[in-house]
Amino acid sequence: MSLIPSIFGRRSDPFSLDVWDPFRDWQVSTGNETSQFAATRIDWKETPEAHVFKADVPGLKKEEVKVEVEEGNVLQISGERSREKEEKNDTWHRMERSSGQFLRRFRLPENAKMSEIKASMENGVLTVTVPKEEVKKPEVKAIDISG
């Protein structure tokens, strides 16, 4: 069961800097075929030890993807897929693979260890792991009652 409430079947994430778009999942051709790539989907899960982000970035090399942290505990994931060069003698029958830039930003909670973030890429999936600081439980001291 998620602690994040659902609005119209979508999760509302208080840490995401993305603006909710009610038309995001509609498959409408706008003439701008880069829109699907620009809306790169990213999963964010929290484990007892870390926050883990997974992004599908098929066909990109790790040099084409950037993972950065900004002031205020903001994680930024961005990248770009260039359009294939067209030769004069080529005849395209279909061009469905998207190209363009993407940028996603997430505000991390206070318990994120910003200096220990790790990123890896395997089989077109970028994984960013943000370790969490241990939550110290407040010490409880029993007081003797006199009398």
Side-chain angles (χ1 to χ4, degrees):
M1 179 183 203
S2 175
L3 297 176
I4 300 172
S6 175
I7 300 174
F8 302 112
R10 295 183 55 85
R11 288 185 183 174
S12 173
D13 186 351
F15 298 112
S16 177
L17 297 176
D18 295 333
V19 176
W20 179 65
D21 179 4
F23 306 107
R24 181 178 188 164
D25 294 324
W26 289 18
Q27 298 294 324
V28 178
S29 178
T30 61
N32 181 1
E33 298 305 327
T34 64
S35 62
Q36 287 300 317
F37 185 65
T40 296
R41 306 292 182 144
I42 297 179
D43 295 337
W44 176 4
K45 75 175 178 180
E46 182 176 355
T47 68
E49 300 81 28
H51 295 273
V52 181
F53 297 83
K54 291 195 176 216
D56 289 336
V57 288
L60 291 183
K61 300 177 194 131
K62 67 180 185 177
E63 296 81 17
E64 297 172 317
V65 177
K66 287 195 322 190
V67 178
E68 301 170 309
V69 288
E70 296 178 355
E71 198 172 319
N73 281 15
V74 175
L75 173 70
Q76 179 172 297
I77 301 172
S78 61
E80 181 174 6
R81 177 181 294 135
S82 301
R83 187 170 279 246
E84 199 170 312
K85 293 181 182 175
E86 296 182 28
E87 300 292 327
K88 282 187 174 185
N89 298 331
D90 291 346
T91 302
W92 289 88
H93 295 280
R94 200 171 234 353
M95 186 177 256
E96 293 182 349
R97 295 185 313 139
S98 55
S99 62
Q101 297 179 340
F102 71 92
L103 174 103
R104 298 292 303 274
R105 299 175 73 200
F106 301 91
R107 185 172 311 281
L108 298 171
E110 292 298 319
N111 67 347
K113 289 184 179 179
M114 301 301 283
S115 62
E116 297 181 22
I117 296 175
K118 294 191 182 345
S120 63
M121 203 151 100
E122 186 175 340
N123 296 326
V125 178
L126 171 70
T127 302
V128 179
T129 305
V130 183
K132 295 181 349 185
E133 293 180 10
E134 288 185 34
V135 177
K136 295 182 181 179
K137 295 181 181 177
E139 187 177 315
V140 177
K141 182 180 176 183
I143 308 295
D144 288 335
I145 302 173
S146 62

